[in-house]
Structures are given as C-alpha cells and as structure tokens.
Amino acid sequence: MEMYNNICHIEFEVKDLDLSKSFYEGLFGWNFAEFPIPGMKIFGFEDKHIGGLMQSDNPKPGNSPSLWFKVQDLDAMTAKAQELGGSVVAARSEVPHVGWSACIGDLDGNPVGMVQYSEEG
C-alpha cells in the first residue's frame, strides 16, 4: 500500500558540501551519494533515502532544514493549500530521476515542500 502525506526528504542548506558531508557522516554515520542536481548530495543509511545537502551561498537559519512530503497529486495538493489560505512559494518543477516538486507556504509563511514521484521514481 502506497503511503502519502508523509515526510520523504529532509534538506539542509549548506555553504560547503564537502565539509558538511564530513560533519554529518561523523555525527550520524550517514552514507552520501551524488545527485543529478548540481550542488546537491543525498544521504541515508544503506539504501534508505533520508534527505540531501543543498549548496547555498547564504543559508538562512530557520529556512533549513526543510521538510518534503510525498503526495499523490502535486497539482491537487497545491490547489488545496491555496484554497485553505496558503500560498505557492515555488511552482511545480521537475526533479530529475524523481518526479516533480513544489513548495507551498502555510498560513504563517512556513515553507512546506511536496514531492510527487514519477512511475519510475
């Protein structure tokens, strides 16, 4: 049974990918792998995906880490968020080898990421 509306990815904005990778490897024992998006490394345990490090020139505490939720229908969930008073922070965009993502803002402007996996993802 497919599980939706659960956290599927946690993302940290970092200035230095290699230094941050070393920090989290040492702290939590995470395994890292390259990702097709430049400036990103994904992490997890063995073959279990947890999240990623995304290079940023100016990480802002409070914006990171960000949480991403697996949804069944990204467009429907984005529309539903707007109907409930939320906003669109980042419109639907393709994520290579994964599917599509979008980010909405809740009633207080907190970013909430959503991911719709492709059939292959």
Side-chain angles (χ1 to χ4, degrees):
M1 171 162 50
E2 196 71 41
M3 296 293 294
Y4 295 103
N5 305 330
N6 288 307
I7 295 172
C8 64
H9 181 82
I10 300 167
E11 192 167 291
F12 294 87
E13 290 182 356
V14 300
K15 284 185 181 178
D16 186 318
L17 279 173
D18 292 328
L19 190 61
S20 295
K21 175 182 170 276
S22 293
F23 173 81
Y24 285 110
E25 278 176 330
L27 184 64
F28 295 126
W30 291 340
N31 300 318
F32 282 83
E34 297 299 319
F35 193 70
I37 295 175
M40 180 177 224
K41 293 185 186 285
I42 57 171
F43 61 84
F45 289 108
E46 297 172 5
D47 64 345
K48 176 138 175 67
H49 173 87
I50 298 172
L53 302 177
M54 177 61 86
Q55 188 167 13
S56 172
D57 292 335
N58 189 25
K60 295 182 177 93
N63 287 345
S64 177
S66 58
L67 301 177
W68 295 81
F69 293 82
K70 181 179 182 178
V71 298
Q72 186 171 17
D73 185 331
L74 186 61
D75 295 329
M77 292 296 283
T78 302
K80 185 176 186 178
Q82 289 176 293
E83 289 168 14
L84 294 168
S87 61
V88 175
V89 174
R92 178 189 179 106
S93 63
E94 186 173 0
V95 180
H97 308 288
V98 174
W100 299 269
S101 70
C103 186
I104 58 103
D106 71 7
L107 299 178
D108 295 305
N110 297 306
V112 178
M114 296 184 292
V115 178
Q116 178 183 332
Y117 286 83
S118 64
E119 294 298 319
E120 307 86 43

